Amino acid sequence: MLKRNLLFWIIPLMLMSCADASQDEDQAVLKQANDIHLEAIKINKTAQPKLEEAIALKNQIEGQEGEKSMEEEKFIKEVAQLEKSYAYWEENHVEVPGFDHHDHDHHDHDHDHDHGPGLEVSAEDMLVIQKEFKDSIIMIQKRLEAITLPTVTQ
């Protein structure tokens, strides 16, 4: 009888300690995911102004009268593609739940921003998502840096 009573208390305690360890591991993985998220936001802070400059130049070229050079047409197409990629990235990124995000500078856009879709995923999946999120903004930044600025005639 004493053994049965001990097992009655020991087994739930063991299960609770395993659950606590699992929660600690999940929290560590989520912390790593959030660190990656913050790195991506930092990259965005440098890429976004450059993209805005390229968009302004694209709009200036599009507004010019007369025929556009091949260089200008190529530039317009590249920037338009980057605009789409960036808009998709910005609208679909997911923040890591449980972490404070009030310091993001992307809140000062002219549109409402809902921080992406709310996802119910495991900590490991959130880590993968954040790595992909960061890789995407890095690729956008590299594409932006690779654009050749046309000579604009006025």
Side-chain angles (χ1 to χ4, degrees), residues 70-97:
M70 289 181 69
E71 179 184 50
E72 290 171 330
E73 290 292 343
K74 180 181 176 193
F75 178 79
I76 290 169
K77 182 178 176 182
E78 288 174 335
V79 174
Q81 290 171 344
L82 272 170
E83 278 183 284
K84 288 179 185 177
S85 295
Y86 183 80
Y88 183 84
W89 176 86
E90 187 176 45
E91 291 170 7
N92 290 288
H93 80 270
V94 179
E95 293 182 342
V96 181

Side-chain angles (χ1 to χ4, degrees), residues 11-80:
I11 291 174
L13 289 174
M14 288 174 51
L15 291 174
M16 286 175 34
S17 68
C18 289
D20 288 343
S22 177
Q23 286 177 340
D24 289 345
E25 290 173 14
D26 284 351
Q27 192 60 30
V29 171
L30 287 174
K31 166 94 173 68
Q32 184 181 5
N34 190 61
D35 290 346
I36 292 169
H37 175 81
L38 293 175
E39 290 171 14
I41 295 302
K42 185 183 269 187
I43 293 166
N44 178 51
K45 286 179 184 180
T46 61
Q48 185 182 12
K50 292 176 185 176
L51 179 61
E52 289 171 358
E53 288 176 24
I55 292 169
L57 182 56
K58 175 188 76 91
N59 293 340
Q60 178 185 351
I61 294 168
E62 287 177 325
Q64 292 175 357
E65 291 187 22
E67 197 169 318
K68 313 228 179 325
S69 69
M70 289 181 69
E71 179 184 50
E72 290 171 330
E73 290 292 343
K74 180 181 176 193
F75 178 79
I76 290 169
K77 182 178 176 182
E78 288 174 335
V79 174

Side-chain angles (χ1 to χ4, degrees), residues 113-129:
H113 187 70
D114 66 0
H115 307 289
L119 294 179
E120 301 266 339
V121 297
S122 71
E124 291 80 14
D125 287 343
M126 181 57 72
L127 181 59
V128 170
I129 290 168

Side-chain angles (χ1 to χ4, degrees), residues 41 44-45 48 101-109:
I41 295 302
N44 178 51
K45 286 179 184 180
Q48 185 182 12
H101 299 286
H102 64 62
D103 62 339
H104 290 188
D105 283 349
H106 62 278
H107 292 272
D108 57 345
H109 293 306

Side-chain angles (χ1 to χ4, degrees), residues 43 46-47 50 136-146:
I43 293 166
T46 61
K50 292 176 185 176
S136 294
I137 193 64
I138 289 171
M139 290 307 300
I140 289 170
Q141 183 182 41
K142 286 181 179 180
R143 287 172 48 204
L144 184 58
E145 291 170 355

